Amino acid sequence: MTDMATKEAKVPEKESLFTGTYNFGTVTSKINDIVTGPTGKGWIFGFAVSFLILQVLLMAVTWLLYEGIGTWGVNVPVGWGFDIINFVWWIGIGHAGTLISAILLLFHQQWRTSINRFAEAMTLFAVACAGLYPLAHMGRPWFFYWLMPYPSTMQLWPQFRSPLIWDVFAVSTYLTVSLLFWYTGLVPDFASLRDKAKNIWARRAYGILSLGWRGAARHWHRYETSYLLLAGLSTPLVLSVHTIVSFDFAVGNVPGWHATIFPPYFVAGAVFAGFAMVVNLAIPARAAYGLKDYITDKHLDNMAKVMLASGWIVFFGYGVEAFMAYYSGSPEERDLFMKNRAFGPYGVWYWMLILCNGIIPQLFWWEHFRRSMFWLWAISFVINVGMWLERFVILMSLQRIPWQSSAWGQYCPTFWDLTTYFGTFGLFFTLFFLFLRLVPMISAFEMKHLLPESHTHAPGSGGHH
Amino acid sequence: MGAAPAKKAAYGLLAEFDNPQALVDAADRARREGFVKMEGYSPFPVEGLREALGQKRTLMPVAIFFGGITGTMTGFLLQTLTSGSLPREWDQWIPLNQWFNYRLNIAGRPFFSWQAFVPPMFELTILFAAFTAVFGMLAINGYPRLNHPLFEVPEFGRASVDRFFLCIEADDKLFDAEKTREFLNHLKPLTISEVPA
């Protein structure tokens, strides 16, 4: 016990994760002041722009509901267009949040602490955007409950052998558990907002949200145990969600989709794109709110390394796809890859995605690119574009050539496809700006744990404090 | 604080410390002194505090495990029973049979195709375990509870920020308004407050 305590008291890497001099009080005020302080001009501008873009989404969805999904570019033979591409893209982005908050917690990676809240919020909002697409694609979204198992008067039950129903279970569980995980982490911080806020309404609102949290030792013990187990549960959950998303394709007996590489390669792609999105959001946010002491260059450097590693898994996946197309000996698989993926009408997009996801991220081998805010942001942006292209290529290259050559066709997104996609950014950023303003964006109680003075030793065993 | 009120009128005595080590040491002394009904309060989980207060380990992991098992079974039964897995001959013995025994023939696959039922079973395992973890933890801790005697003490407002408290409750057998206050004084706290009931 004593040994452990003294060892912990001088863990050297903490210095680089937490720069500047802080104590328990200033950690709280630094984080809470962003919430309780005055509204900045930049925030109002950003929120206004996001809110305007959200209106574009509302218009697009209203028109869709009025006119039907004929407003989208999907038709026979391409039945899955922008809706599924963007569904997979958004939900993949969400996965980095769970990875940072759950998997890195289990691995005792302390650098997660200042970015986890932020990343979990990103998860929630990304899943909200993702969930919108299948709902809208139903054509009659008010019947969404038909997907749920319930004893209906028609005595009809969902088709449980279908990956699409697995998706319903996976995505709704993911949204629910992510929300619970995020909220559980917030309760102690809401309590400090309740105690520090000067405005009576803020005090009441945060008081209710904190559920009356008192920070009793007994409560902390149950809290920590449950939180850790929740992290343990979220870890296989996040892997299962993208695995099941990939089953939407891989279970189908379609050349180019029917591959066992899909689950791992989809999960790695999700981590890859998600970390890129966290970096894209964290760099501007930490600059705007002066949080460079909390989200340090070391954090961003670590995230770049994660992108480099997961990028290689994705790149390996592309290689396996190409190899298996050849090795399967199936003329359909070979044809598809050569004439419709690597070359042919979608060849340009395929090589663009190789460039964005495979080649450009290799710059992260050099510390210069990991430490330069401009390059880090730009490369992360390129990765997000690349991952979008990946989903586009996976979906488009084969749907347009069904078995009957007489049924071959093309897909072109319509104006309403584009506005719906554009509009989901409005939804995402509106929610994100509200989060930055109303909720502490860094977990204060976990940050306090990183301070050396938070460490205790067994009573009566000496040591100084 | 006013004149010493009757013993029952108070919730307890609250001592304030400015660092976690002082709280752990104080809790340890109080436990050795024989106090049982006491509690430590801190803005973040303090290592060793639970042991110093003499509190038992939580059984939350067991509850969460059973929550998860319930989810697995729910998923299994839900899918098995609604897919017409049971033999036709049993139909007359199954209550509410017409509600759920729906034989969905998909490309001639067996009605009881349990392999395909695994993903929803897995998801429901996680869902139910997570519900147990969050709602169970909150319920056992007694939340939501927006009012509490401790909130009447102004100093306690810093328990969520940067102060550490030890509260010896009035229903402890050894509690005595005067003597307990004297004992707490020996621990050199920043303040000692009486918590009104």
Side-chain angles (χ1 to χ4, degrees):
Chain A
M1 184 70 201
T2 327
D3 277 357
M4 238 175 69
T6 45
K7 237 186 255 164
E8 274 183 354
K10 48 171 181 182
V11 178
E13 74 261 31
K14 261 169 215 160
E15 255 63 68
S16 52
L17 291 177
F18 205 150
T19 54
T21 44
Y22 287 97
N23 59 39
F24 299 137
T26 50
V27 167
T28 295
S29 49
K30 175 99 185 162
I31 295 168
N32 283 6
D33 284 353
I34 297 170
V35 178
T36 53
T39 311
K41 282 206 183 78
W43 186 89
I44 295 176
F45 177 75
F47 180 75
V49 171
S50 314
F51 196 67
L52 270 177
I53 301 175
L54 174 62
Q55 307 315 307
V56 175
L57 176 70
L58 289 182
M59 260 160 50
V61 171
T62 308
W63 180 242
L64 173 86
L65 294 184
Y66 179 77
E67 189 70 15
I69 57 166
T71 57
W72 289 354
V74 288
N75 206 333
V76 175
V78 180
W80 282 1
F82 258 43
D83 48 336
I84 305 293
I85 298 171
N86 296 333
F87 163 72
V88 179
W89 188 75
W90 273 118
I91 205 153
I93 282 180
H95 286 352
T98 319
L99 186 97
I100 289 172
S101 55
I103 300 182
L104 297 185
L105 178 73
L106 295 182
F107 286 142
H108 293 287
Q109 294 296 306
Q110 284 170 333
W111 60 275
R112 74 177 265 289
T113 301
S114 60
I115 48 172
N116 67 334
R117 173 78 41 80
F118 198 84
E120 286 164 32
M122 187 194 76
T123 296
L124 281 177
F125 308 148
V127 175
C129 290
L132 210 66
Y133 284 100
L135 283 178
H137 196 187
M138 279 176 207
R140 293 181 290 171
W142 46 96
F143 290 132
F144 76 96
Y145 61 89
W146 284 5
L147 294 166
M148 300 290 166
Y150 69 101
S152 72
T153 47
M154 303 211 282
Q155 305 174 21
L156 195 63
W157 289 86
Q159 211 284 74
F160 289 114
R161 301 175 193 93
S162 161
L164 297 181
I165 283 295
W166 303 347
D167 238 9
V168 173
F169 278 85
V171 174
S172 54
T173 299
Y174 187 49
L175 183 63
T176 313
V177 174
S178 301
L179 186 66
L180 288 176
F181 196 64
W182 186 64
Y183 182 69
T184 307
L186 272 167
V187 166
D189 283 353
F190 279 143
S192 78
L193 272 168
R194 167 198 68 198
D195 295 338
K196 293 286 271 190
K198 296 202 170 59
N199 179 316
I200 176 83
W201 291 105
R203 235 173 26 231
R204 284 181 185 162
Y206 291 119
I208 291 169
L209 286 169
S210 73
L211 305 173
W213 182 259
R214 300 192 292 281
R218 224 180 286 269
H219 298 177
W220 274 123
H221 172 55
R222 294 185 189 121
Y223 177 94
E224 272 198 301
T225 309
S226 299
Y227 194 69
L228 190 68
L229 282 165
L230 212 49
L233 292 164
S234 301
T235 302
L237 174 65
V238 68
L239 301 181
S240 82
V241 172
H242 227 61
T243 298
I244 290 176
V245 167
S246 83
F247 282 168
D248 290 346
F249 310 106
V251 169
N253 187 11
V254 177
W257 281 359
H258 197 54
T260 48
I261 189 73
F262 264 43
Y265 137 67
F266 265 56
V267 170
V271 171
F272 189 43
F275 268 86
M277 190 57 120
V278 175
V279 168
N280 275 344
L281 295 173
I283 290 178
R286 74 167 198 160
Y289 290 103
L291 292 171
K292 287 189 182 167
D293 290 342
Y294 288 37
I295 304 173
T296 63
D297 289 356
K298 166 100 175 139
H299 290 94
L300 297 168
D301 185 69
N302 279 352
M303 286 195 270
K305 286 175 183 163
V306 173
M307 281 189 264
L308 188 59
S310 53
W312 267 104
I313 304 177
V314 175
F315 204 21
F316 175 76
Y318 300 150
V320 170
E321 270 194 325
F323 173 74
M324 290 312 290
Y326 158 75
Y327 191 68
S328 68
S330 145
E332 284 81 14
E333 290 273 3
R334 285 182 185 180
D335 247 34
L336 176 94
F337 188 80
M338 291 309 285
K339 295 188 188 151
N340 273 293
R341 193 160 277 178
F343 305 100
Y346 294 104
V348 161
W349 305 114
Y350 182 79
W351 293 107
M352 285 263 293
L353 94 87
I354 296 289
L355 181 71
C356 291
N357 290 350
I359 314 289
I360 293 178
Q362 302 311 320
L363 291 172
F364 283 148
W365 285 106
W366 287 277
E367 195 174 6
H368 172 72
F369 292 98
R370 297 198 305 265
R371 294 274 172 170
S372 146
M373 287 310 110
F374 169 77
W375 282 109
L376 184 56
W377 196 91
I379 296 169
S380 302
F381 187 79
V382 165
I383 291 171
N384 270 320
V385 173
M387 285 307 295
W388 190 89
L389 287 171
E390 178 203 298
R391 276 67 180 249
F392 179 80
V393 167
I394 289 176
L395 271 126
M396 286 309 131
S397 57
L398 49 91
Q399 282 188 87
R400 58 169 287 270
I401 45 155
W403 302 99
Q404 289 276 341
S405 54
S406 60
W408 289 9
Q410 277 292 2
Y411 170 80
C412 184
T414 64
F415 174 75
W416 295 108
D417 276 313
L418 296 169
T419 43
T420 309
Y421 181 45
F422 181 62
T424 45
F425 285 94
L427 176 62
F428 181 80
F429 282 106
T430 301
L431 291 169
F432 205 81
F433 273 106
L434 286 174
F435 157 73
L436 290 179
R437 188 72 192 89
L438 298 175
V439 174
M441 71 169 104
I442 291 178
S443 171
F445 84 89
E446 286 176 299
M447 286 307 278
K448 287 174 197 168
H449 227 295
L450 291 185
L451 290 170
E453 55 264 45
S454 74
H455 293 272
T456 53
H457 51 79
S461 67
H464 69 281
H465 256 289
Chain B
M1 244 36 45
K7 201 169 145 186
K8 288 254 170 64
Y11 174 81
L13 281 171
L14 187 69
E16 177 182 9
F17 302 91
D18 69 351
N19 70 76
Q21 189 61 51
L23 174 60
V24 173
D25 292 342
D28 188 61
R29 289 273 298 279
R31 194 194 72 240
R32 284 165 202 274
E33 195 75 11
F35 289 109
V36 179
K37 299 226 161 197
M38 57 176 173
E39 185 60 281
Y41 298 89
S42 57
F44 53 84
V46 172
E47 267 168 66
L49 181 57
R50 179 177 63 84
E51 290 83 352
L53 287 164
Q55 294 170 354
K56 285 194 200 111
R57 275 181 76 103
T58 175
L59 289 175
M60 277 310 294
V62 181
I64 295 170
F65 173 78
F66 282 105
I69 293 288
T70 311
T72 319
M73 291 314 295
T74 306
F76 179 77
L77 292 175
L78 170 73
Q79 298 177 88
T80 307
L81 295 180
T82 60
S83 300
S85 309
L86 303 178
R88 276 180 203 279
E89 301 81 68
W90 295 9
D91 276 8
Q92 52 181 318
W93 307 113
I94 302 173
L96 299 175
N97 183 37
Q98 73 280 15
W99 259 23
F100 53 75
N101 206 5
Y102 185 74
R103 291 191 169 83
L104 196 59
N105 186 341
I106 303 293
R109 287 181 184 83
F111 293 124
F112 179 57
S113 38
W114 62 270
Q115 298 90 337
F117 300 160
V118 169
M121 276 163 66
F122 177 82
E123 300 300 330
L124 288 179
T125 307
I126 303 282
L127 186 68
F128 279 45
F131 278 152
T132 317
V134 174
F135 297 120
M137 180 269 290
L138 291 175
I140 296 173
N141 283 348
Y143 295 119
R145 175 174 179 182
L146 300 185
N147 71 324
H148 192 275
L150 284 166
F151 291 138
E152 300 299 321
V153 181
E155 285 84 0
F156 194 71
R158 290 177 76 170
S160 63
V161 183
D162 58 352
R163 288 292 153 84
F164 304 81
F165 294 86
L166 178 69
C167 181
I168 296 186
E169 286 158 28
D171 35 353
D172 191 275
K173 270 189 294 212
L174 297 180
F175 187 86
D176 177 282
E178 291 306 310
K179 281 183 193 155
T180 307
R181 180 180 285 269
E182 208 168 292
F183 164 75
L184 285 174
N185 239 331
H186 284 304
L187 304 172
K188 299 197 177 60
L190 300 177
T191 62
I192 299 178
S193 325
E194 193 184 80
V195 186

